[in-house]
Amino acid sequence: MERKYKDFIIHPIPVLKDNIIWIWVKGDKAVVVDPAISKPVIEWLNNRNLKLISVLQTHHHDDHIGGTQELLKTWPKSSVIAAKADIGRIPFQTQSVIDNETVHLLEQEIKVIEVPGHTRYHICYYLPGSLDLKINPVLFCGDTLFSGGCGRLFEGSALDMFNSLRKIKNLPEYTKIYCAHEYTKANLEWAVQIKPEDIFIKKRLKEVCKLRSKGLITLPTNLSIERKTNLFIRAKTSKELGELRSHKDNWKG
Ligand SMILES: [Zn+2]
């Protein structure tokens, strides 16, 4: 399922149990986001004669950085962009970034957005779109936001996550959201238990079940869908978010 934009595509490679590695391609160059493992990425790029120019890391967890150093063996000139504050846990980063910094890759501007909560130094990468050219903005959000859910609070508080999700919530409505895990169905099955009468959640769950039954992924999602169907994005206070997070953490399905 390749998503075509004006002159680039963003392709998913599902790996491990539920990770998705996103590969963003323009011409003969590629950027990889959070490579959990390297082999399928190397094969995919080599089969298409593509050159890796950069790896974007959202945070330090193994299922996001596990393949990066192997990729660097094949493409030693590739940069590795990661949060400067996380240099201790992502020591192979070659371009260290901070909140609000802008970097350029594939002739595209990318804004770094700091989103603590899942981990202390988690960052997202935002590609502003163009209304004139009808190109939707893109967000690579790692484990901060999932379709219908959000990341577990390993190193941050409910308030951290609330503030981080608020930054995402304020992006343009049609921002395409590229999450790092396919958790959508389980998230919505949980949400529908909490809000059994919610027509938006029920409708989205139905669509998601249909896609999954055909073996398709449900991502990317977009902000318009998440504003309607994601209880964490909809939470009005950090207290509400914290309660939802605890409930979800203890939910056995
Ligand atoms: Zn993680």
Side-chain angles (χ1 to χ4, degrees):
M1 223 179 29
E2 294 186 354
R3 298 276 168 173
K4 282 191 189 297
Y5 287 80
K6 194 169 170 59
D7 55 358
F8 65 79
I9 61 157
I10 300 175
H11 183 86
I13 299 192
V15 298
L16 307 178
K17 192 163 162 267
D18 44 41
N19 278 76
I20 297 179
I21 301 172
W22 295 104
I23 306 189
W24 165 27
V25 179
K26 182 175 180 178
D28 61 351
K29 298 187 179 76
V31 171
V32 172
V33 185
D34 284 352
I37 52 175
S38 60
K39 202 167 162 254
V41 177
I42 293 172
E43 280 172 11
W44 197 88
L45 293 176
N46 279 341
N47 286 341
R48 290 159 181 79
N49 279 323
L50 297 169
K51 191 173 106 184
L52 180 71
I53 61 152
S54 189
V55 176
L56 301 180
Q57 308 277 207
T58 62
H59 66 296
H60 74 283
H61 285 157
D62 268 353
D63 62 331
H64 294 256
I65 66 171
T68 304
Q69 284 167 292
E70 274 306 311
L71 291 176
L72 290 177
K73 286 183 190 163
T74 310
W75 292 279
K77 286 184 182 161
S78 167
S79 65
V80 179
I81 302 181
K84 187 177 186 178
D86 232 352
I87 190 140
R89 302 190 292 192
I90 312 177
F92 43 83
Q93 59 181 267
T94 64
Q95 193 174 347
S96 307
V97 293
I98 58 169
D99 189 29
N100 264 317
E101 187 170 340
T102 299
V103 295
H104 289 86
L105 288 172
L106 303 178
E107 294 165 48
Q108 170 73 46
E109 182 184 303
I110 304 164
K111 193 181 153 198
V112 175
I113 306 174
E114 202 173 67
V115 282
H118 177 66
T119 68
R120 200 168 300 127
Y121 306 119
H122 196 300
I123 54 175
C124 293
Y125 297 92
Y126 176 68
L127 286 56
S130 159
L131 217 56
D132 296 347
L133 299 173
K134 294 198 170 85
I135 299 173
N136 291 320
V138 163
L139 183 75
F140 295 113
C141 62
D143 285 358
T144 294
L145 179 67
F146 299 119
S147 187
C150 76
R152 283 176 185 259
L153 300 176
F154 288 124
E155 297 178 359
S157 64
L159 180 60
D160 291 331
M161 184 57 93
F162 181 75
N163 289 333
S164 294
L165 291 185
R166 201 161 52 176
K167 288 186 188 176
I168 294 177
K169 193 179 178 176
N170 289 334
L171 294 173
E173 189 176 1
Y174 288 102
T175 301
K176 295 245 174 210
I177 299 179
Y178 293 78
C179 317
H181 289 273
E182 174 64 57
Y183 288 154
T184 316
K185 186 165 171 272
N187 285 339
L188 293 168
E189 282 168 348
W190 164 78
V192 89
Q193 299 291 311
I194 310 252
K195 301 270 184 201
E197 304 302 323
D198 191 301
I199 51 163
F200 295 115
I201 294 175
K202 285 201 284 192
K203 185 170 166 263
R204 170 81 170 143
L205 178 58
K206 217 169 149 186
E207 288 163 2
V208 161
C209 287
K210 216 169 168 184
L211 286 170
R212 297 304 285 153
S213 70
K214 290 180 193 161
L216 299 172
I217 65 168
T218 65
L219 301 168
T221 178
N222 70 47
L223 199 49
S224 170
I225 294 172
E226 297 311 310
R227 281 177 184 162
K228 285 191 190 121
T229 61
N230 187 316
L231 295 182
F232 296 96
I233 284 274
R234 279 166 45 173
K236 292 199 169 53
T237 61
S238 59
K239 185 171 170 280
E240 185 187 348
L241 186 145
E243 286 165 3
L244 288 167
R245 190 59 268 174
S246 308
H247 188 279
K248 176 80 167 59
D249 289 347
N250 296 309
W251 188 67
K252 300 281 184 281

